[in-house]
Amino acid sequence: MKFKLIISLLLLTASAVAFGQEKESRKAKKNNPAVADKGLIKVSIMYPFAEGKTFNMEYYETKHMPMVAGFLGSNLVRYTIEKGVASGIPNQPLPYMAIGTFYVKSLSDYQAAIGPNRDAIRADFSNYTNIAPVILISEVVK
Amino acid sequence: MKFKLIISLLLLTASAVAFGQEKESRKAKKNNPAVADKGLIKVSIMYPFAEGKTFNMEYYETKHMPMVAGFLGSNLVRYTIEKGVASGIPNQPLPYMAIGTFYVKSLSDYQAAIGPNRDAIRADFSNYTNIAPVILISEVVK
């Protein structure tokens, strides 16, 4: 009888471990960009460098991008910010001062969320830059 | 005595579970781009769209990018590929047909690894595109 009890307890614990690992595995998959990003829509807002152009990265990171991200709701998977450092081709000017990207599940949901907020987003531009951005819609292949 | 055995077995299993979760948690952190990418160097190879320009995504994904990634060794954290779909600004042409990126720990290690292989990389361009790429070196802020 006691032997049966030990076996039952061990089996129960083993199931709990297996369940926990399955959950962690799904979480790791969700957090692994190589697996999770494929097929997502990526919206890249790229700020070209030129003489006399300015960009306030601190405002962009702490105010502008969180504001826009807030409009996107659960359609937004994540967003990124990068600071341009140099051209990768010697003797070429820096192509972009900064790039912000939004990884979203649906392009039409993104457009529906941005539409009514476009004026607020554009009005905020002058708080951090005098650059007119280039915007690329792309699909994550890998 | 049997009771002590049960307790010991359960404690042992519990430790194994805790150890496993700690390992998974570290793995999840490593795989979470929001945490892992900050501070990395990102090299973006961007292929501008224009009339008459061609790009073979299948070759790029299965041959070219894996070849370049192979040159980078452990300095490479991950690489991504995206396919340009449209401009995000109405009535503007598609800015880029494709973008490939390498997330690396060190820019100087990247340059040291690419240098001796530059001819091989350039010779492969004609196998998938007739576009001269724009290359941006940037720093991941978020």
Side-chain angles (χ1 to χ4, degrees):
Chain A
M1 197 58 196
K2 278 232 170 119
F3 181 71
K4 268 194 178 167
L5 184 71
I6 298 174
I7 294 293
S8 304
L9 278 170
L10 283 176
L11 281 175
L12 196 70
T13 324
S15 317
V17 173
F19 180 72
Q21 279 174 348
E22 162 65 17
K23 244 175 80 184
E24 284 296 328
S25 157
R26 256 184 291 135
K27 212 191 285 169
K29 202 171 169 181
K30 203 180 145 198
N31 285 334
N32 185 337
V35 177
D37 286 353
K38 193 180 158 108
L40 288 181
I41 294 295
K42 183 180 176 186
V43 181
S44 302
I45 301 97
M46 306 186 281
Y47 296 85
F49 167 75
E51 283 303 319
K53 297 298 180 189
T54 58
F55 194 92
N56 183 333
M57 181 55 85
E58 206 244 330
Y59 187 94
Y60 189 65
E61 187 185 358
T62 61
K63 302 270 196 263
H64 183 79
M65 285 295 275
M67 176 188 78
V68 180
F71 296 145
L72 300 177
S74 63
N75 185 35
L76 180 67
V77 176
R78 65 193 173 91
Y79 70 94
T80 70
I81 298 171
E82 66 198 86
K83 180 184 179 297
V85 174
S87 168
I89 303 170
N91 306 316
Q92 290 284 309
L94 174 67
Y96 295 101
M97 288 189 83
I99 300 179
T101 80
F102 298 101
Y103 288 82
V104 295
K105 296 171 208 157
S106 152
L107 178 58
S108 54
D109 287 358
Y110 170 86
Q111 287 163 332
I114 293 297
N117 295 295
R118 191 159 284 139
D119 289 347
I121 295 170
R122 285 199 184 146
D124 196 39
F125 275 14
S126 63
N127 291 322
Y128 65 91
T129 191
N130 58 358
I131 303 173
V134 169
I135 305 181
L136 171 68
I137 312 286
S138 61
E139 191 190 305
V140 178
V141 173
K142 183 198 147 58
Chain B
M1 196 58 195
K2 279 231 172 121
F3 180 71
K4 266 193 180 171
L5 185 71
I6 298 174
I7 295 293
S8 304
L9 278 168
L10 283 177
L11 280 175
L12 197 70
T13 324
S15 316
V17 173
F19 180 72
Q21 279 175 347
E22 162 64 17
K23 245 175 79 182
E24 283 297 328
S25 159
R26 257 183 291 135
K27 212 192 285 169
K29 201 170 171 183
K30 204 181 144 197
N31 286 334
N32 185 336
V35 177
D37 285 354
K38 193 180 158 108
L40 288 181
I41 293 296
K42 183 179 176 186
V43 181
S44 301
I45 301 96
M46 306 186 281
Y47 296 86
F49 167 76
E51 282 304 319
K53 296 299 179 187
T54 60
F55 193 93
N56 183 333
M57 183 55 86
E58 206 245 329
Y59 187 94
Y60 189 65
E61 187 185 357
T62 60
K63 301 269 196 267
H64 183 79
M65 286 294 277
M67 176 187 78
V68 180
F71 296 145
L72 301 177
S74 63
N75 185 35
L76 180 68
V77 176
R78 63 193 175 91
Y79 70 94
T80 71
I81 298 171
E82 67 198 85
K83 180 184 180 297
V85 173
S87 169
I89 304 169
N91 305 316
Q92 290 285 308
L94 175 67
Y96 295 101
M97 288 188 83
I99 300 179
T101 79
F102 298 101
Y103 289 81
V104 295
K105 296 170 208 157
S106 152
L107 178 57
S108 55
D109 287 357
Y110 170 86
Q111 287 163 331
I114 292 297
N117 295 295
R118 191 159 284 137
D119 289 348
I121 295 169
R122 285 198 186 146
D124 196 40
F125 275 14
S126 62
N127 290 324
Y128 65 91
T129 192
N130 58 0
I131 304 174
V134 169
I135 306 181
L136 172 68
I137 312 286
S138 61
E139 190 189 306
V140 178
V141 172
K142 185 198 146 59

